[in-house]
mmCIF file of all heavy atoms in Angstrom:
data_model
loop_
_atom_site.group_PDB
_atom_site.id
_atom_site.type_symbol
_atom_site.label_atom_id
_atom_site.label_comp_id
_atom_site.label_asym_id
_atom_site.label_seq_id
_atom_site.Cartn_x
_atom_site.Cartn_y
_atom_site.Cartn_z
ATOM 1 N N VAL B 165 12.454 26.283 8.561
ATOM 2 C CA VAL B 165 12.161 27.143 7.410
ATOM 3 C C VAL B 165 12.427 28.607 7.746
ATOM 4 O O VAL B 165 12.965 29.348 6.928
ATOM 5 C CB VAL B 165 10.688 26.973 6.988
ATOM 6 C CG1 VAL B 165 10.383 27.802 5.772
ATOM 7 C CG2 VAL B 165 10.380 25.529 6.725
ATOM 8 N N TYR B 166 12.078 29.004 8.973
ATOM 9 C CA TYR B 166 12.183 30.423 9.327
ATOM 10 C C TYR B 166 13.604 30.934 9.148
ATOM 11 O O TYR B 166 13.806 32.007 8.575
ATOM 12 C CB TYR B 166 11.742 30.642 10.771
ATOM 13 C CG TYR B 166 10.255 30.549 10.945
ATOM 14 C CD1 TYR B 166 9.685 29.440 11.535
ATOM 15 C CD2 TYR B 166 9.434 31.568 10.508
ATOM 16 C CE1 TYR B 166 8.323 29.338 11.682
ATOM 17 C CE2 TYR B 166 8.075 31.480 10.650
ATOM 18 C CZ TYR B 166 7.514 30.360 11.244
ATOM 19 O OH TYR B 166 6.182 30.260 11.377
ATOM 20 N N GLY B 167 14.569 30.180 9.662
ATOM 21 C CA GLY B 167 15.952 30.624 9.581
ATOM 22 C C GLY B 167 16.358 30.881 8.144
ATOM 23 O O GLY B 167 16.944 31.912 7.829
ATOM 24 N N ILE B 168 15.998 29.946 7.261
ATOM 25 C CA ILE B 168 16.438 30.058 5.873
ATOM 26 C C ILE B 168 15.731 31.208 5.168
ATOM 27 O O ILE B 168 16.360 32.005 4.462
ATOM 28 C CB ILE B 168 16.204 28.713 5.159
ATOM 29 C CG1 ILE B 168 17.190 27.691 5.725
ATOM 30 C CG2 ILE B 168 16.368 28.853 3.666
ATOM 31 C CD1 ILE B 168 17.046 26.330 5.158
ATOM 32 N N VAL B 169 14.423 31.330 5.390
ATOM 33 C CA VAL B 169 13.689 32.416 4.730
ATOM 34 C C VAL B 169 14.179 33.768 5.228
ATOM 35 O O VAL B 169 14.410 34.691 4.437
ATOM 36 C CB VAL B 169 12.182 32.265 4.979
ATOM 37 C CG1 VAL B 169 11.450 33.492 4.534
ATOM 38 C CG2 VAL B 169 11.668 31.054 4.262
ATOM 39 N N LEU B 170 14.384 33.867 6.543
ATOM 40 C CA LEU B 170 14.852 35.145 7.087
ATOM 41 C C LEU B 170 16.245 35.473 6.563
ATOM 42 O O LEU B 170 16.547 36.628 6.278
ATOM 43 C CB LEU B 170 14.855 35.091 8.610
ATOM 44 C CG LEU B 170 13.478 35.259 9.238
ATOM 45 C CD1 LEU B 170 13.593 35.249 10.739
ATOM 46 C CD2 LEU B 170 12.841 36.548 8.775
ATOM 47 N N ALA B 171 17.085 34.440 6.434
ATOM 48 C CA ALA B 171 18.425 34.673 5.889
ATOM 49 C C ALA B 171 18.319 35.251 4.487
ATOM 50 O O ALA B 171 19.004 36.219 4.148
ATOM 51 C CB ALA B 171 19.215 33.378 5.873
ATOM 52 N N GLY B 172 17.443 34.655 3.667
ATOM 53 C CA GLY B 172 17.276 35.142 2.304
ATOM 54 C C GLY B 172 16.738 36.555 2.280
ATOM 55 O O GLY B 172 17.187 37.404 1.514
ATOM 56 N N TRP B 173 15.790 36.829 3.153
ATOM 57 C CA TRP B 173 15.127 38.132 3.153
ATOM 58 C C TRP B 173 16.044 39.211 3.704
ATOM 59 O O TRP B 173 16.147 40.294 3.126
ATOM 60 C CB TRP B 173 13.844 38.037 3.992
ATOM 61 C CG TRP B 173 13.158 39.335 4.163
ATOM 62 C CD1 TRP B 173 13.179 40.122 5.270
ATOM 63 C CD2 TRP B 173 12.379 40.025 3.185
ATOM 64 N NE1 TRP B 173 12.450 41.250 5.055
ATOM 65 C CE2 TRP B 173 11.948 41.221 3.787
ATOM 66 C CE3 TRP B 173 11.997 39.734 1.874
ATOM 67 C CZ2 TRP B 173 11.155 42.126 3.114
ATOM 68 C CZ3 TRP B 173 11.211 40.650 1.210
ATOM 69 C CH2 TRP B 173 10.795 41.829 1.824
ATOM 70 N N ALA B 174 16.741 38.897 4.804
ATOM 71 C CA ALA B 174 17.537 39.912 5.484
ATOM 72 C C ALA B 174 18.745 40.328 4.660
ATOM 73 O O ALA B 174 19.241 41.432 4.797
ATOM 74 C CB ALA B 174 18.006 39.394 6.841
ATOM 75 N N SER B 175 19.228 39.434 3.766
ATOM 76 C CA SER B 175 20.435 39.745 3.021
ATOM 77 C C SER B 175 20.229 40.883 2.028
ATOM 78 O O SER B 175 21.175 41.568 1.674
ATOM 79 C CB SER B 175 20.906 38.519 2.252
ATOM 80 O OG SER B 175 21.211 37.505 3.138
ATOM 81 N N ASN B 176 18.989 41.068 1.581
ATOM 82 C CA ASN B 176 18.693 42.127 0.626
ATOM 83 C C ASN B 176 19.525 41.995 -0.644
ATOM 84 O O ASN B 176 20.068 42.963 -1.168
ATOM 85 C CB ASN B 176 18.950 43.496 1.266
ATOM 86 C CG ASN B 176 17.851 44.457 0.906
ATOM 87 O OD1 ASN B 176 17.124 44.203 -0.058
ATOM 88 N ND2 ASN B 176 17.710 45.518 1.660
ATOM 89 N N SER B 177 19.674 40.767 -1.097
ATOM 90 C CA SER B 177 20.421 40.502 -2.312
ATOM 91 C C SER B 177 19.568 39.575 -3.162
ATOM 92 O O SER B 177 18.799 38.788 -2.636
ATOM 93 C CB SER B 177 21.752 39.850 -1.950
ATOM 94 O OG SER B 177 22.200 39.007 -2.982
ATOM 95 N N LYS B 178 19.674 39.690 -4.486
ATOM 96 C CA LYS B 178 18.738 38.946 -5.337
ATOM 97 C C LYS B 178 18.929 37.444 -5.205
ATOM 98 O O LYS B 178 17.968 36.684 -5.088
ATOM 99 C CB LYS B 178 18.933 39.361 -6.785
ATOM 100 C CG LYS B 178 18.313 40.708 -7.081
ATOM 101 C CD LYS B 178 18.812 41.269 -8.390
ATOM 102 C CE LYS B 178 18.693 42.771 -8.395
ATOM 103 N NZ LYS B 178 19.726 43.406 -9.208
ATOM 104 N N TYR B 179 20.183 37.014 -5.209
ATOM 105 C CA TYR B 179 20.440 35.570 -5.090
ATOM 106 C C TYR B 179 19.870 35.021 -3.786
ATOM 107 O O TYR B 179 19.216 33.982 -3.755
ATOM 108 C CB TYR B 179 21.938 35.298 -5.126
ATOM 109 C CG TYR B 179 22.584 35.484 -6.461
ATOM 110 C CD1 TYR B 179 23.871 35.963 -6.564
ATOM 111 C CD2 TYR B 179 21.898 35.154 -7.619
ATOM 112 C CE1 TYR B 179 24.473 36.136 -7.799
ATOM 113 C CE2 TYR B 179 22.493 35.316 -8.853
ATOM 114 C CZ TYR B 179 23.783 35.812 -8.938
ATOM 115 O OH TYR B 179 24.373 35.964 -10.145
ATOM 116 N N SER B 180 20.140 35.742 -2.699
ATOM 117 C CA SER B 180 19.693 35.270 -1.397
ATOM 118 C C SER B 180 18.174 35.187 -1.355
ATOM 119 O O SER B 180 17.608 34.210 -0.880
ATOM 120 C CB SER B 180 20.159 36.212 -0.305
ATOM 121 O OG SER B 180 21.528 36.373 -0.362
ATOM 122 N N LEU B 181 17.530 36.243 -1.874
ATOM 123 C CA LEU B 181 16.071 36.274 -1.825
ATOM 124 C C LEU B 181 15.495 35.108 -2.616
ATOM 125 O O LEU B 181 14.604 34.392 -2.131
ATOM 126 C CB LEU B 181 15.562 37.595 -2.386
ATOM 127 C CG LEU B 181 14.060 37.770 -2.228
ATOM 128 C CD1 LEU B 181 13.729 37.936 -0.770
ATOM 129 C CD2 LEU B 181 13.556 38.939 -3.024
ATOM 130 N N LEU B 182 16.019 34.887 -3.805
ATOM 131 C CA LEU B 182 15.514 33.770 -4.616
ATOM 132 C C LEU B 182 15.718 32.444 -3.899
ATOM 133 O O LEU B 182 14.825 31.600 -3.856
ATOM 134 C CB LEU B 182 16.223 33.752 -5.971
ATOM 135 C CG LEU B 182 15.754 34.812 -6.957
ATOM 136 C CD1 LEU B 182 16.599 34.760 -8.204
ATOM 137 C CD2 LEU B 182 14.300 34.595 -7.304
ATOM 138 N N GLY B 183 16.920 32.276 -3.321
ATOM 139 C CA GLY B 183 17.196 31.034 -2.598
ATOM 140 C C GLY B 183 16.240 30.850 -1.437
ATOM 141 O O GLY B 183 15.704 29.759 -1.225
ATOM 142 N N GLY B 184 16.002 31.938 -0.689
ATOM 143 C CA GLY B 184 15.111 31.840 0.467
ATOM 144 C C GLY B 184 13.697 31.488 0.062
ATOM 145 O O GLY B 184 13.060 30.612 0.664
ATOM 146 N N ILE B 185 13.185 32.160 -0.983
ATOM 147 C CA ILE B 185 11.810 31.910 -1.425
ATOM 148 C C ILE B 185 11.677 30.483 -1.934
ATOM 149 O O ILE B 185 10.740 29.760 -1.577
ATOM 150 C CB ILE B 185 11.438 32.898 -2.557
ATOM 151 C CG1 ILE B 185 11.462 34.317 -2.039
ATOM 152 C CG2 ILE B 185 10.088 32.555 -3.120
ATOM 153 C CD1 ILE B 185 10.342 34.666 -1.153
ATOM 154 N N ARG B 186 12.653 30.079 -2.742
ATOM 155 C CA ARG B 186 12.611 28.715 -3.263
ATOM 156 C C ARG B 186 12.578 27.699 -2.148
ATOM 157 O O ARG B 186 11.801 26.746 -2.169
ATOM 158 C CB ARG B 186 13.871 28.447 -4.072
ATOM 159 C CG ARG B 186 13.817 28.862 -5.489
ATOM 160 C CD ARG B 186 15.108 28.389 -6.081
ATOM 161 N NE ARG B 186 15.268 28.778 -7.458
ATOM 162 C CZ ARG B 186 16.257 28.337 -8.211
ATOM 163 N NH1 ARG B 186 17.145 27.527 -7.686
ATOM 164 N NH2 ARG B 186 16.354 28.711 -9.457
ATOM 165 N N SER B 187 13.460 27.907 -1.165
ATOM 166 C CA SER B 187 13.555 26.895 -0.122
ATOM 167 C C SER B 187 12.295 26.870 0.712
ATOM 168 O O SER B 187 11.867 25.808 1.154
ATOM 169 C CB SER B 187 14.768 27.140 0.747
ATOM 170 O OG SER B 187 14.469 28.089 1.714
ATOM 171 N N SER B 188 11.660 28.044 0.919
ATOM 172 C CA SER B 188 10.427 28.014 1.706
ATOM 173 C C SER B 188 9.380 27.184 0.983
ATOM 174 O O SER B 188 8.744 26.312 1.576
ATOM 175 C CB SER B 188 9.924 29.423 1.975
ATOM 176 O OG SER B 188 9.499 30.018 0.779
ATOM 177 N N ALA B 189 9.204 27.414 -0.329
ATOM 178 C CA ALA B 189 8.202 26.656 -1.071
ATOM 179 C C ALA B 189 8.539 25.176 -1.064
ATOM 180 O O ALA B 189 7.666 24.322 -0.878
ATOM 181 C CB ALA B 189 8.107 27.175 -2.504
ATOM 182 N N GLN B 190 9.822 24.852 -1.226
ATOM 183 C CA GLN B 190 10.217 23.447 -1.257
ATOM 184 C C GLN B 190 9.980 22.766 0.084
ATOM 185 O O GLN B 190 9.388 21.693 0.153
ATOM 186 C CB GLN B 190 11.700 23.370 -1.607
ATOM 187 C CG GLN B 190 12.285 21.997 -1.435
ATOM 188 C CD GLN B 190 13.772 21.990 -1.684
ATOM 189 O OE1 GLN B 190 14.289 22.802 -2.437
ATOM 190 N NE2 GLN B 190 14.470 21.090 -1.044
ATOM 191 N N MET B 191 10.398 23.432 1.156
ATOM 192 C CA MET B 191 10.268 22.786 2.460
ATOM 193 C C MET B 191 8.812 22.664 2.866
ATOM 194 O O MET B 191 8.413 21.663 3.457
ATOM 195 C CB MET B 191 11.069 23.547 3.502
ATOM 196 C CG MET B 191 12.561 23.328 3.319
ATOM 197 S SD MET B 191 13.567 24.431 4.253
ATOM 198 C CE MET B 191 13.935 23.449 5.677
#
Side-chain angles (χ1 to χ4, degrees):
Chain B
V165 182
Y166 286 106
I168 290 178
V169 169
L170 282 182
W173 175 257
S175 298
N176 222 342
S177 151
K178 283 165 205 149
Y179 288 146
S180 305
L181 186 69
L182 284 175
I185 297 287
R186 274 185 183 188
S187 83
S188 68
Q190 170 185 332
M191 287 168 97

